[in-house]
Amino acid sequence: QVQLQESGPGLVRPSGTLSLTCAVSGGSISSSYWWTWVRQPPGKGLEWIGEIFHSGNTNYNPSLKSRVSISVDKSKNQFSLNLSSVTAADTAVYYCATISGQLVLDHWGQGTLVTVSS
Amino acid sequence: IVLTQSPGTLSLSPGERATLSCRASQSVSNYLGWYQQKPGQAPRLLIYFASSRATGIPDRFSGSGSGTDFTLTISRLEPEDFAVYYCQQYGRSLTFGGGTKVEIK
């Protein structure tokens, strides 16, 4: 059973870069999953950020594409999210998850709250 | 593709039937999933391919539909079913619906 754990700073300054890592256990990052990030502003719905395959292929939400980068580190069995030029609107709980062959998100991390504030 | 969920809030009593709707702005075939989210928790996958239950999901949860109109039905609400439910599709890009809150009446 794949397990995911997000980590990273809980506070980021405006105009800075948000950086998070998702550690994968119980499975290999080189498996057939796509690895993805989703966020949820406080009290609001879910927004897909983007995904990466172990080959390095990526797909991003068009609304965030200019600011997002997702990478994979096979040696550490983890993947990472970078979101640049952040504003208060980027304050959210950030989740990492897997996308299965059925094109749904079947494993989720517990989520980590990132606040953008000076 | 935009997913529109209705109603925004559903007020029901335990034991009642819940019917949640998800409408897509264009056809997604049957590439639609449903999730349950409780406060302070990550979403949990309930349904994939519009009507297939995920592992460990009780059979009181059922999904139906194809193309642009989908329904999640909870046949008899248990106390633990009061939560927010989201639909999700993956066509050219992945999107979620805005969610339906099922609250205790």
Side-chain angles (χ1 to χ4, degrees), chain A:
Chain A
Q1 177 80 342
V2 172
Q3 294 184 313
L4 306 169
Q5 179 66 58
E6 305 90 349
S7 62
L11 180 65
V12 180
R13 304 302 183 193
S15 78
T17 296
L18 181 159
S19 297
L20 295 174
T21 295
C22 182
V24 179
S25 59
S28 170
I29 201 144
S30 296
S31 66
S32 59
Y33 286 116
W34 283 75
W35 307 92
T36 192
W37 290 96
V38 173
R39 70 180 183 179
Q40 185 171 36
K44 297 188 177 180
L46 302 166
E47 180 180 34
W48 179 66
I49 299 171
E51 63 181 355
I52 190 166
F53 197 61
H54 62 77
S55 61
N57 288 353
T58 54
N59 295 298
Y60 298 128
N61 184 328
S63 68
L64 298 170
K65 189 174 183 177
S66 63
R67 300 194 291 130
V68 172
S69 175
I70 298 175
S71 60
V72 66
D73 187 335
K74 295 181 186 179
S75 66
K76 294 183 178 179
N77 216 40
Q78 65 186 31
F79 62 106
S80 299
L81 167 69
N82 281 341
L83 180 66
S84 63
S85 304
V86 297
T87 70
D90 295 309
T91 293
V93 175
Y94 286 76
Y95 296 100
C96 58
T98 57
I99 298 180
S100 70
Q102 292 80 25
L103 301 183
V104 289
L105 289 74
D106 55 352
H107 298 96
W108 293 72
Q110 65 184 27
T112 187
L113 174 63
V114 179
T115 301
V116 179
S117 175
S118 57

Side-chain angles (χ1 to χ4, degrees), chain B residues 2-105:
Chain B
V2 176
L3 298 178
T4 301
Q5 291 189 241
S6 62
T9 302
L10 200 52
S11 298
L12 295 168
S13 300
E16 289 193 296
R17 182 185 188 91
T19 303
L20 288 66
S21 173
C22 176
R23 177 163 290 177
S25 59
Q26 56 187 278
S27 177
V28 300
S29 184
N30 67 336
Y31 291 106
L32 188 107
W34 288 95
Y35 301 82
Q36 176 193 68
Q37 187 179 33
K38 297 179 181 179
Q41 297 184 16
R44 176 176 69 144
L45 176 66
L46 300 175
I47 301 286
Y48 62 94
F49 284 162
S51 61
S52 296
R53 273 188 298 277
T55 302
I57 302 304
D59 60 8
R60 65 179 180 273
F61 291 91
S62 63
S64 63
S66 65
T68 61
D69 289 302
F70 300 88
T71 300
L72 174 69
T73 301
I74 310 172
S75 59
R76 296 171 310 279
L77 283 165
E78 297 287 341
E80 62 267 28
D81 298 337
F82 291 92
V84 179
Y85 293 83
Y86 294 94
C87 57
Q88 169 257 318
Q89 67 79 34
Y90 199 164
R92 291 187 179 181
S93 185
L94 192 155
T95 56
F96 292 95
T100 291
K101 182 179 182 180
V102 179
E103 66 176 21
I104 298 176
K105 185 174 181 180

